[in-house]
Amino acid sequence: MKNIRLHLTAPILLLLSMLMFTTSCDTTEAGTQSDARVSRSSDSPVRFTELRHPEKVDSVLALMTMEEKVGQLNLLSSGFAETGPVLSEEYRDMIFESKLGGVFNAHTVEHTLELQRIAVEETRLGIPLLFAFDVIHGHRTIFPVPLAESATWDPGLIKKASRISAKEASAAGLHWTFTPMIDISPDPRWGRIVESHGEDPLLNSRFGVARIEGFQGEDLYDVTTIMATAKHFAAYGVPEAGRDYNTVDISERTLREVHLPPFKAAVDAGVRTFMTAFNEYDGVPATGSDFLFNRILRDEWGFDGFVVTDYTAIMEMMPHGYARDEAHAAELSINANVDMDMMSQIFLNELPGLVEQGIVKEEQVDMAVARILDMKFDLGLFDDPYRYSDYDRETETIMREDFLEFALEVAQKSIVLLKNEDQTLPLSKDTGHIAVIGPLGDNQYDLLGSWSAAGEWTDNVTLLQGIRNAVPENTRVSYTEGAKLDLHDDSQAGFDEALQLARQADVVIMALGEGRHMSGEAASRTNIDLPGAQQELLEAIHETGTPVVLVLMAGRPLDIRWADEHIPAIVNAWYLGTRSGDAIASVLFGDHNPGGKLTISWPYNVGQIPNYYYAKKTGRPIDPDQRYTSKFIDAPNAPLYPFGYGLSYTSYEYDNLRLSESEIGNTGRLTVSVDVTNTGDRTGDEIVQMYTRKMVASVTQPVRQLRDFTRITLEPGQTETVTFDLEAGQLQYLDQQLEPVLEPGTVRVYVGPNVAETLEASFEVR
Ligand code: NOJ
């Protein structure tokens, strides 16, 4: 607070001393709430939020001019240079004029200190800035991409990874990350599937909560914790044709049953901020949606944090054909109780005029400002605006040795073994000559995957390096690229050298897949095959007769029908981050027994998409002998690999599925138990999955729904009884009026290693 005092005029100083009196109890009050501001049912668009620090927020608000208020609602991206984020003249002026509430892409202690000093010491009120960054799967220590991390089926592990990311990010001056992305997507054409946790609502809920808990910790006041963001609200993961930003057209039933549960779980876990989605829902762009933000988020769920738009999303309501002009766009968004404008600068420019003309209520603007100030108090920024920017902590924390070790563990556990015919894997480390072929074989850059925050590709361990680190000196390890990692380059100029190496080798490890920018934002594909000449290269190398192991790296499932038929071993390695090569090598040589499983049904070909496991049955279920049934005539209905699938170097047997009750009331519960035995000769991890199906209901139900899962470790010969609780409440669905119900009838329970191979039992709901 002392910095604020320097620049104040006398009357404001007086008020501020009152404020300082109230802020002095800040730490003890963190997390407490007042119910003085609850109002849920007025006609006014203003939704009053229960603030955590109501008196302190009020005292600051009382000092602010309208211009200062709308400045708090403005979020801009930092400038960049080769050396990292930089402060431009324009920004310096904007901060000086109190026109910024926060800056994203701003990190490093040096940079954040510079920005914060201007905000705190050179503006009239000295309100500190928020610093945000897309810390999606690591800040500097890069973990696997989220789709890969979800293949661990271990939210506890990802909570710990997020804790580490929070420590690094907060040590670099950050207060806020734009994660988790909990958009559900059953569409691998959509590039952002790489940032999701796959197609299932329960998995997205559990991983979303894990990330929120990891980043926000127990207490946001702790300088090693930062705010999380549930994004993108809502239904961003199902654009038509998988084309990013495209129109979304799904029923309210599907919205509520499939897409909203992870966001509700995020609110229940105390997530501090939400981000709007770029897409429209039911004809209304999300960023101006009264239905999504007022009715669902604020009224139904009572969300008490603030909402930030996605990048220029307020402005985009004009090209959507929804807002007439910038003033109209501002009105629509602020009245949807969207609080902070990322990049459009429309709140900044339009709200003062709208308030003056009486089009927007001043209390609507005040509420948005209050929500943002409330979080600044929660983070302790009014106690010490520089508390996150500490040079010593930054040096000690970034890329700590134990963080790198943990990144290796997460990478290992994210790998999914898709095929292993005749126990081709693991390889012996004494293999005479191993040839590594393919554009991802010695590639550091692409291992970062989409969104890599402060990650530096030069830190990454390539597959070639990982293999060399793992084998003895007398094992020859050779490498050639063979083909380019380019959608538009199908040159075969590198084939001869690759074929020559393959012929000399005892085994070829083909490292194929996508470049890191072929998935992620604005990276949708209509074709999900191996880009460039990689498929031809794979076929040519296979022709040599040397055994081939395919290591795939990509941000989405690819069309690998041919490989599945011809290549004996396939390892899906996604993008695994800093320790990629070490993790993959540990699987190839059996130092780590793979246990990851798919969180998305892996399509047979692009024409099957979307092909998610929780589909419904039709009136004409597939019958290969009957023409007029629901099927394709040129491809199977089933995906290439089912949801929940993944192999191990050992084998497991499931037996003795039993239910504690044969009948329950519609508020009752039961337990589901199964014996799982490791029948092979290696210790391994198994992911045990429980699904249910309500056989008949007043609204048709999916053929399977994941209800619970656990990842267990079993020694050879060991049997473990896995028990799941199942409560009637978990089985509820929406009736024809969209009210939750559980009607009488049979519920079938399925437990197994993936959705397609399960034991079954049934019980009745009375
Ligand atoms: C646009 C993306 O959609 C969003 O997820 C991200 O957080 C923002 N850009 C900021 O980088």
Side-chain angles (χ1 to χ4, degrees):
M1 293 303 297
K2 62 181 181 302
N3 298 308
I4 293 176
R5 188 183 297 205
L6 295 173
H7 303 277
L8 295 174
T9 54
I12 294 176
L13 187 61
L14 192 70
L15 277 165
L16 214 79
S17 59
M18 287 158 60
L19 163 67
M20 288 164 70
F21 172 73
T22 53
T23 53
S24 62
C25 11
D26 211 35
T27 48
T28 51
E29 267 190 29
T32 58
Q33 297 192 348
S34 148
D35 56 7
R37 288 174 164 269
V38 195
S39 154
R40 297 260 182 260
S41 60
S42 95
D43 286 343
S44 153
V46 192
R47 263 39 177 200
F48 291 96
T49 295
E50 298 172 29
L51 299 174
R52 289 171 160 78
H53 309 274
E55 289 85 13
K56 294 174 202 167
V57 167
D58 278 352
S59 5
V60 179
L61 256 179
L63 305 177
M64 297 175 82
T65 63
M66 180 51 72
E67 280 60 37
E68 285 163 340
K69 287 177 186 173
V70 293
Q72 285 301 304
L73 312 186
N74 199 28
L75 178 71
L76 291 181
S77 166
S78 175
F80 283 105
E82 281 281 295
T83 47
V86 288
L87 175 64
S88 64
E89 279 307 311
E90 187 194 344
Y91 268 48
R92 187 184 298 275
D93 292 348
M94 288 193 72
I95 303 173
F96 189 78
E97 291 161 21
S98 300
K99 286 185 173 165
L100 276 179
V103 181
F104 70 109
N105 292 330
H107 63 98
T108 75
V109 167
E110 190 183 349
H111 186 51
T112 53
L113 275 180
E114 190 185 10
L115 299 176
Q116 197 71 299
R117 192 198 58 78
I118 306 174
V120 170
E121 297 181 20
E122 299 193 23
T123 67
R124 191 180 75 92
L125 291 179
I127 298 176
L129 291 166
L130 280 175
F131 298 121
F133 202 20
D134 287 279
V135 180
I136 306 296
H137 54 107
H139 176 72
R140 173 71 188 274
T141 302
I142 300 299
F143 292 94
V145 291
L147 185 58
E149 289 185 320
S150 71
T152 64
W153 292 61
D154 188 345
L157 195 79
I158 302 313
K159 177 174 171 180
K160 202 167 156 196
S162 305
R163 227 18 241 115
I164 288 173
S165 303
K167 286 183 184 164
E168 285 194 340
S170 62
L174 291 160
H175 313 127
W176 183 16
T177 175
F178 301 140
T179 200
M181 190 190 95
I182 40 182
D183 299 308
I184 299 216
S185 184
D187 194 335
R189 294 171 302 182
W190 187 54
R192 298 196 80 169
I193 197 162
V194 62
E195 292 172 57
S196 82
H197 306 89
E199 71 192 31
D200 180 72
L202 180 73
L203 279 171
N204 274 281
S205 301
R206 297 245 178 114
F207 278 104
V209 168
R211 287 185 200 278
I212 292 162
E213 290 177 350
F215 276 103
Q216 294 191 168
E218 299 277 303
D219 180 1
L220 208 54
Y221 195 82
D222 172 349
V223 283
T224 68
T225 62
I226 64 175
M227 297 195 294
T229 306
K231 72 183 189 187
H232 309 82
F233 201 59
Y236 179 48
V238 276
E240 288 177 350
R243 175 157 55 82
D244 207 4
Y245 319 126
N246 201 8
T247 304
V248 168
D249 194 4
I250 56 170
S251 66
E252 186 176 340
R253 173 180 308 286
T254 302
L255 177 77
R256 287 185 180 273
E257 289 189 336
V258 176
H259 298 272
L260 295 190
F263 289 96
K264 172 67 165 62
V267 171
D268 293 343
V271 73
R272 293 298 203 275
T273 72
F274 258 60
M275 187 184 288
T276 69
F278 287 123
N279 54 282
E280 66 169 56
Y281 174 71
D282 200 17
V284 178
T287 305
S289 172
D290 174 71
F291 172 69
L292 291 174
F293 288 97
N294 285 337
R295 252 185 64 196
I296 296 181
L297 185 64
R298 302 281 185 196
D299 294 353
E300 289 182 26
W301 300 349
F303 173 62
D304 63 5
F306 73 82
V307 175
V308 63
T309 74
D310 205 343
Y311 204 103
T312 59
I314 299 184
M315 180 280 290
E316 291 171 26
M317 288 196 291
M318 294 188 288
H320 265 292
Y322 188 64
R324 291 184 299 273
D325 51 26
E326 296 201 346
H328 189 208
E331 177 194 339
L332 291 164
S333 272
I334 196 84
N335 284 346
N337 282 274
V338 166
D339 306 298
M340 196 177 229
D341 173 356
M342 185 195 292
M343 294 305 289
S344 293
Q345 303 209 57
I346 286 182
F347 277 176
L348 182 79
N349 298 330
E350 300 295 340
L351 285 177
L354 289 169
V355 170
E356 207 176 287
Q357 293 163 53
I359 295 172
V360 167
K361 293 190 168 172
E362 183 160 2
E363 59 185 350
Q364 182 77 63
V365 174
D366 284 356
M367 194 65 249
V369 178
R371 290 183 187 122
I372 292 163
L373 293 177
D374 201 36
M375 292 308 151
K376 292 185 176 181
F377 276 109
D378 231 26
L379 288 157
L381 296 181
F382 282 96
D383 289 348
D384 175 3
Y386 306 112
R387 59 201 296 270
Y388 289 77
S389 303
D390 170 340
Y391 284 109
D392 289 343
R393 193 159 73 90
E394 185 176 43
T395 317
E396 286 157 16
T397 311
I398 302 283
M399 295 265 277
R400 252 169 49 183
E401 203 46 50
D402 55 325
F403 295 174
L404 290 169
E405 271 316 290
F406 191 67
L408 174 63
E409 184 184 338
V410 178
Q412 289 170 324
K413 289 185 168 168
S414 301
I415 292 173
V416 183
L417 180 62
L418 295 175
K419 187 176 174 195
N420 194 19
E421 208 170 70
D422 302 329
Q423 299 192 318
T424 306
L425 292 175
L427 301 172
S428 161
K429 290 184 183 174
D430 292 322
T431 306
H433 177 187
I434 300 172
V436 178
I437 298 177
L440 285 151
D442 194 25
N443 174 326
Q444 285 184 294
Y445 176 75
D446 289 286
L447 303 179
L448 288 174
S450 156
W451 298 111
S452 47
E456 291 191 9
W457 59 267
T458 47
D459 294 333
N460 296 342
V461 181
T462 70
L463 177 56
L464 184 67
Q465 287 160 0
I467 291 173
R468 287 199 169 133
N469 292 343
V471 298
E473 263 180 23
N474 56 356
T475 298
R476 183 175 164 211
V477 184
S478 57
Y479 169 71
T480 188
E481 185 185 45
K484 296 286 175 207
L485 199 58
D486 187 329
L487 283 168
H488 309 290
D489 184 345
D490 50 12
S491 157
Q492 301 195 353
F495 277 31
D496 282 350
E497 192 184 333
L499 288 168
Q500 223 171 2
L501 262 196
R503 287 193 193 103
Q504 294 164 7
D506 298 297
V507 63
V508 178
I509 297 173
M510 303 273 320
L512 306 181
E514 294 184 319
R516 58 183 289 226
H517 298 303
M518 294 180 198
S519 60
E521 190 177 346
S524 299
R525 295 183 63 195
T526 58
N527 196 333
I528 53 167
D529 56 8
L530 287 163
Q534 293 184 86
Q535 178 67 34
E536 290 75 12
L537 178 68
L538 179 64
E539 293 182 21
I541 300 287
H542 170 69
E543 275 287 296
T544 64
T546 306
V548 173
V549 173
L550 171 60
V551 175
L552 274 181
M553 296 182 213
R556 55 161 63 84
L558 297 176
D559 180 343
I560 53 164
R561 276 173 286 163
W562 185 90
D564 179 63
E565 215 177 297
H566 298 94
I567 303 296
I570 307 177
V571 174
N572 190 46
W574 318 99
Y575 300 117
L576 297 174
T578 313
R579 298 295 302 273
S580 293
D582 293 326
I584 303 168
S586 73
V587 164
L588 294 176
F589 298 110
D591 294 330
H592 178 83
N593 185 359
K597 298 202 182 198
L598 299 174
T599 57
I600 173 146
S601 309
W602 190 292
Y604 176 82
N605 63 10
V606 78
Q608 276 190 336
I609 294 170
N611 194 8
Y612 48 94
Y613 84 86
Y614 47 90
K616 300 209 177 159
K617 243 191 172 133
T618 68
R620 293 186 173 196
I622 182 170
D623 179 344
D625 301 327
Q626 296 290 326
R627 180 176 173 105
Y628 295 101
T629 59
S630 181
K631 61 182 188 307
F632 299 107
I633 57 172
D634 60 353
N637 277 15
L640 187 63
Y641 307 114
F643 178 83
Y645 170 86
L647 301 174
S648 163
Y649 295 152
T650 188
S651 49
Y652 304 98
E653 211 172 85
Y654 285 65
D655 196 20
N656 198 17
L657 175 64
R658 54 210 184 269
L659 309 182
S660 65
E661 315 292 328
S662 57
E663 212 180 85
I664 62 168
N666 68 3
T667 53
R669 56 184 292 280
L670 73 160
T671 58
V672 177
S673 303
V674 70
D675 300 334
V676 185
T677 305
N678 180 344
T679 51
D681 55 9
R682 276 171 187 265
T683 300
D685 279 8
E686 172 62 337
I687 296 162
V688 183
Q689 302 155 40
M690 173 178 67
Y691 302 85
T692 64
R693 178 178 177 199
K694 180 76 176 28
M695 302 308 288
V696 177
S698 59
V699 172
T700 58
Q701 293 300 301
V703 291
R704 298 282 185 280
Q705 282 175 287
L706 182 69
R707 298 303 185 189
D708 207 350
F709 57 87
T710 182
R711 182 167 179 146
I712 56 172
T713 303
L714 294 175
E715 307 285 327
Q718 189 187 345
T719 299
E720 188 171 320
T721 299
V722 172
T723 300
F724 296 112
D725 289 325
L726 191 57
E727 295 187 5
Q730 283 171 268
L731 300 171
Q732 283 188 333
Y733 42 87
L734 300 179
D735 68 11
Q736 294 184 11
Q737 282 68 48
L738 297 181
E739 293 298 330
V741 283
L742 176 59
E743 296 153 324
T746 306
V747 175
R748 205 156 281 171
V749 179
Y750 309 83
V751 179
N754 64 67
V755 73
E757 295 176 77
T758 48
L759 300 175
E760 296 182 24
S762 296
F763 67 92
E764 294 297 313
V765 176
R766 280 192 304 275

